[in-house]
Amino acid sequence: MSNTIGNNLVHQRLLRPTVLERQSNLNSSGIAANSFCAASLNQSAAQIGRNSRLSTKFYGNGWNKKRSYSTVGTRRPAFVPLAVLATDPASEQLMEKFNIDGNIELKVDASTAPGSIVQVDIQITYSSDSLLLHWGGIRDRKEKWVLPSHQPDGTINYKNRALRTPFVKTGPSSYLKLEINDPAIKAIEFLIFDQAKNKWFKNNGQNFHVKLPARGQPISNISVPEDLVQIQAYLRWERKGKLMYTPEQEKEEYEAARTELLEEIARGASIEDLRVKLTKKTDRQEIKETSIYETKSKIPDDLVQIQAYIRWEKAGKPNFSPEEQLMEFEEARTELEAELQKGVSLDEIRKKITKGEIATKVSRQLKEKKYFRVERIQRKKRDLMQLLNKHAVKSTVEKISTEPHSLSVIELFAKAKEEEDLSLVLNKKLYKLVDKEVLVLVTKPAGKTKIHVATDFEEPVTLHWALSKKAGEWLAPPSGLLPPGSVLLHGAAETQFSISSSSSLPKQVQYFVLEVDGDSYAGMPFVLLSGGKWIKNNGSDFYVEFSPRSKPTKKDAGDGKGTAKALLDKIAQMESEAQKSFMHRFNIAADLIDQAKDAGELGFAGILVWMRFMATRQLIWNKNYNVKPREISKAQDRLTDLLQNTYKNHPEYRELVRMIMSTVGRGGEGDVGQRIRDEILVIQRNNDCKGGMMEEWHQKLHNNTSPDDVVICQALIDYVKSDFDINVYWKTLNESGITKERLLSYDRAIHSEPNFRRDQKDGLLRDLGHYMRTLKAVHSGADLESAVSNCMGYRAEGQGFMVGVQINPISGLPSEFPELLRFVLEHVEDRDIEALLEGLLEAREELRPMLMKSNDRLKDLLFLDIALDSTVRTAIERGYEQLNDSGPEKIMYFISLVLENLALSSDNNEDLVYCLKGWDNALTMCKNKNDQWALYAKSVLDRTRLVLTSKAESYQQILQLSAAYLGSRLGVDQWAIDIFTEEIIRAGSAAALSLLINRLDPVLRKTANLGSWQVISPVEVAGYVVVVNELLAVQNKSYDRPTILVAKSVKGEEEIPDGTVAVLTPDMPDVLSHVSVRARNSKVCFATCFDPNILGTLEANEGKLLRLKPTSADVIYGEVTEGELASSSPGDLKGDSLPSVTLVKKQFRGRYAISAEEFTSEMVGSKSRNISYLKGKVPSWIGIPTSVALPFGAFEKVLSDKLNKVVAEELQSLKKKLADGDFGVLAEIRQTVLRLAAPPQLVQEVKTKMQSSGMPWPGDEGEQRWEQAWTAIKKVWGSKWNERAYFSTRKVKLDHDYLCMAVLVQEIINADYAFVIHTTNPSSGDSSEIYAEVVKGLGETLVGAYPGRALSFVCKKSNLDSPQVLGYPSKPIGLFIRRSIIFRSDSNGEDLEGYAGAGLYDSVPMDEEEKVVIDYSSDPLIVDGNFRQSILSSIARAGHAIEELYGSPQDIEGVVRDGKVYVVQTRPQM
């Protein structure tokens, strides 16, 4: 071989014998074997050798890419292609314009690009997220469309007739780019389709037809040397990103390369010119310019390839790097040259090769030897937004039938007996036996134990029974206890069942009754005999306990609300059939997929619950049914094919489908399933182990294979590897939940232990290892090695039946993917997991685009992705201790890796992706030593914790009700039902992520000097500790002694219960939230505790009397006695007397609407008056919105109008019920208020005032818009009767009837940010310091119960240019709205002396706000220090100016829009 390309292209496998079939050969890990695997495994060397004339062929799939991995600690020689393509001449360009529908312009530019590619740019002045190009290529105008192999990302094949490529939306236009590399395509034709609107854009009713520019005609009588075509083909492959091609695509690429070179010749280039261009010297290596056909020797390359393959095979088929491949190729050449030097002819060499007679020095040691080892991959830089999944889930509310569940005849019998005995039921159990039932009912009438056994068998049944004093014991019953007709046997008795004569039963019931005096016996074992067959309980004896069951009584699963009840009922109905075998269960599940789709998300939740109950062995796997493994495999195939299609066509259910697939084995083609049966025979025969445990296992496999067989096979392998230590065998079994009892419970029980000879060791390890692959192919789709093999392809090795099981590799995988998977498998057991995690995540990222496309092997790709996901979780659990001595930077990096893994597995992952971007920013800030990094990272951590909580709550909501209902119907153990959702969460990345953030939290708090507490209301108190889950649950409670509430959940809108002196919580309500303000106003100590250990200590003090002494950043506490407390401060144990508050009832003053100039205390509340007062008095740079109001008395006037007579009467009746203590009518009152009709005079007055004040009148946009405004006004009036406000007024004995509600009307400023200012720091009481909180969007997320924290800052009044950030935002949601009107509550009960009524009543926008998940990583307020300083300083200045205007501390609300500050309301700070 010449130096020209021998050192560069041979190991890229460009040379392939044309006559050889392409074959992907893989090692035991399923990774493609290397360069000299060119010879087909389906052809013998003899067949190869008989081909004396071999041409060469280009194979894209055969190329091994240059690795993108960085080798740590090893300097690798550089091997790079040294050929480059010459620069193309000036390109030709064509442009066409089309006018569509009169106002839409379509422009198409087509130009030639380097390499004879035609680039087509298409732009249309039409913007849509669902715009598609429906297109194809034209070779001959009369031909059908051809589908080019080179397609833009996102392109799908439409029925093999066209391609559909999505446009990219850019402002008011949409754009896409095509690259056509097939010289035979002369034009493209297309239509444009808006999928969302089902609208087609055509060219006057025809296809758009665009000719492509000419690309030089090749000269037909000139040929190009094949070696140059090969080099050009390689360069094209490299230029396109080293894609994996199908054989057809390889041929097309090879011919396209030839055409390109012919075009060069047509433009005047000579063959020598091309050779110089393609093989020119580089700076890195001197290359002699010689032809590929000039060889070092006379040995043909095809013989060298065959000899290299033989060497590789003898070495044990190791995974060679490209460098090793090249070495091996040259070694093979040297061996053949040695034969040639002996005088052996080429023909004789060819014959000797076929007989394996060429001497070779290769040995098995090469299998273990690695010249180079990649220690770490180089991860690609990706836009994290590409991870985003946003799919709307179909919400299906199933109507629950109120008809009672129809009872079976046995359940009717049991009910009758319970009513007849009227005594305590000690035990009740219903056994399902295929289509029959057996009831056991134990009652306790008058000091006796009464046992009923009943069945709906039609054939006569005999009970073979005994008594026992402990479980497992058979004692013959005393003759005096025997029912009539019984026969006493040795250690047992037999009694014929009686026939029930009850006319109330729809069919015959056979029953047995026994009464036992006292408590001398513990239970009754029994079996049934019918038709000459023994009937057992899943292979074991039935056993009746006489004492109450130790297992907790099953909870009532309710009526199936919140579930796909009809589907779950169908599953329960089919369970007796499903438990026959896996084949039955999987086929039934497949039959139910359509019903699950109809039920939506809850339908797939039901399937998941059922499959997981199966996978965790809560359901019977096999019941006396002999089924062939190929039948199980076929049923699995059917089910997983349907799940694959659901995943492809219903992206909103992908997360649930992944979880279902993880509980179901992969299945396999029929031959793979059948080999479970066949290969065990080969193992027995090859290794002379036909008896004992192996024969029992064979019989079990023959009858019904299950996932247990994977564990049994692994246990046998571990046993043999351990030098036949039987304890190792049992350890492997027990760790996977397989006990001796379980082995005995199989229909074909395994009684014996394995017992092999030492001389069997090598053969058993070899054959059991191959057998494990077959078992995993069927049962363990998510197993990593099995999943890799199924995607990359493998061929089973061995003898006899084991030859020929073949899985083909999936085409179209990224070119670097095989080596990436090899890296993962090489490092999967590494103790240092960082490199492994990077490899796993890189593999998942590379795989992700494939999961979004249509692929007939999609399920194999899914199982691989599930396996990679699972391996991340197990790796992070294994490496958790590795972080013990790590700094925060490494912990943050691990968090980002695990969070990325969770985002890759989650639907609707927007919040997860933004958290991931936040961690990236935090890592960058940490590396750059930004002094704010820990404070910023703490906000990202808090948000991540909120996301995990939200994800857990959504799982609980979707899955737990289904688990409870279906589990109850199927008789699943209650403990398995109770922990169902918890175990689902623990099985994913979320649990590992939670551990990591809990580890990082105290580190960040310490670094950012945050301490363990945030004190919101610093009041020294003493009280008795009471622990509650939610403050909301006790907000209306009254404690009769001073109480310190430790509440696990505080959202922000709750009231503080009477008698409470302190609220301590791990939750993080905003400092300016309603509950925070209420705590400060009521002189209640309120603080957030970040340290779970401190919180745990406080909870452990429940019932004890503690004194709390808060500072601005800490809470000191200690136990005191009542005597000590009373002597030091007698008032501490007495609650402060509630303030006496009186209201003056306001009267209607004759006008329904007034302008800001008319705002007086008789007409409106302080909210309206304050905003009117600010107008014209604050600096001009502070904006004040225009306002009008519906004054006091307007509601009462509308209610008294004759239009609303019926509503008034209903309201009066409801208020009477409320006065009598029926608080349940509050919601009904609010609904009744919404039925009020607007008097015409009110409509006209409101319209006139709004228009004269310069505000938009909603009615100008149509009657429906006014109705929206009117509804909002009524909601404000109705909020007088919301629960929080009503109970608050009751506490201070305020006359609720005297409460009047004005409505302040303002135009909404579509805010970038909203803020609340307290001009005296509420936490410290420092009047020299302003405290403020800022959120993205509207202020409702700040004052309402929205999770997360706002950005908080303080600013000294003496230095308003230097705000100090106390905390960055963690609120995941922002509220945004179109241009609209807001109607604000403004009651006469707000801001009264001694009573804080502000915030109790509702403000309602006319339009619904849009909830947007916030990306803080691109928000200038977070990432731009100068912008942040400017905005926060402006907010502080506005607060200071308003405080100076009023001369007292103020509580101010406002917004920022385009950098301008607007104030929407102010009130005295309390």
Side-chain angles (χ1 to χ4, degrees), residues 1317-1334:
I1317 306 168
H1318 277 197
T1319 58
T1320 291
N1321 189 328
S1323 296
S1324 62
D1326 186 349
S1327 61
S1328 70
E1329 193 171 66
I1330 290 171
Y1331 176 89
E1333 294 183 341
V1334 185

Side-chain angles (χ1 to χ4, degrees), residues 581-595:
S581 73
F582 281 117
M583 178 193 74
H584 291 82
R585 189 177 298 281
F586 293 144
N587 277 328
I588 291 168
D591 292 339
L592 293 174
I593 291 296
D594 281 342
Q595 189 175 344

Side-chain angles (χ1 to χ4, degrees), residues 497-509:
F497 274 66
S498 302
I499 306 295
S500 173
S501 57
S502 174
S503 59
S504 62
L505 298 176
K507 59 185 277 192
Q508 170 184 296
V509 171

Side-chain angles (χ1 to χ4, degrees), residues 964-1157:
Y965 184 74
L966 185 61
S968 175
R969 292 294 313 271
L970 298 181
V972 171
D973 288 341
Q974 188 62 48
W975 65 266
I977 295 171
D978 291 342
I979 66 169
F980 184 87
T981 303
E982 179 187 340
E983 287 302 306
I984 289 279
I985 294 167
R986 287 170 63 86
S989 298
L993 185 56
S994 181
L995 287 173
L996 289 171
I997 63 175
N998 287 343
R999 170 166 288 199
L1000 181 63
D1001 195 351
V1003 177
L1004 295 180
R1005 283 190 280 108
K1006 182 177 179 181
T1007 307
N1009 299 312
L1010 293 175
S1012 299
W1013 292 89
Q1014 180 176 25
V1015 180
I1016 297 169
S1017 176
V1019 181
E1020 184 175 338
V1021 297
Y1024 294 89
V1025 177
V1026 173
V1027 180
V1028 297
N1029 283 323
E1030 296 179 328
L1031 181 60
L1032 184 66
V1034 296
Q1035 67 173 349
N1036 298 325
K1037 188 178 174 70
S1038 289
Y1039 292 98
D1040 57 4
R1041 60 181 185 174
T1043 298
I1044 297 171
L1045 282 180
V1046 180
K1048 295 174 184 175
S1049 170
V1050 176
K1051 299 303 181 188
E1053 281 204 321
E1054 301 92 338
E1055 285 298 311
I1056 296 174
D1058 288 348
T1060 303
V1061 295
V1063 178
L1064 309 177
T1065 179
D1067 242 338
M1068 297 177 291
D1070 293 304
V1071 173
L1072 302 183
S1073 66
H1074 172 80
V1075 71
S1076 302
V1077 173
R1078 183 70 72 224
R1080 288 191 291 270
N1081 291 345
S1082 304
K1083 304 298 186 238
V1084 170
C1085 177
F1086 185 33
T1088 292
C1089 179
F1090 298 114
D1091 190 326
N1093 295 321
I1094 294 175
L1095 203 67
T1097 303
L1098 285 165
E1099 290 174 350
N1101 279 294
E1102 184 165 21
K1104 294 180 180 176
L1105 178 61
L1106 299 185
R1107 180 187 290 279
L1108 306 182
K1109 294 183 178 180
T1111 64
S1112 60
D1114 198 5
V1115 175
I1116 300 166
Y1117 60 91
E1119 189 174 355
V1120 292
T1121 65
E1122 289 189 23
E1124 291 173 330
L1125 197 62
S1127 61
S1128 61
S1129 179
D1132 277 345
L1133 290 178
K1134 299 175 183 176
D1136 291 338
S1137 60
L1138 292 169
S1140 175
V1141 180
T1142 57
L1143 281 177
V1144 177
K1145 191 166 186 177
K1146 302 294 184 180
Q1147 303 298 320
F1148 182 65
R1149 299 290 178 175
R1151 284 179 290 171
Y1152 282 112
I1154 56 176
S1155 62
E1157 294 75 23

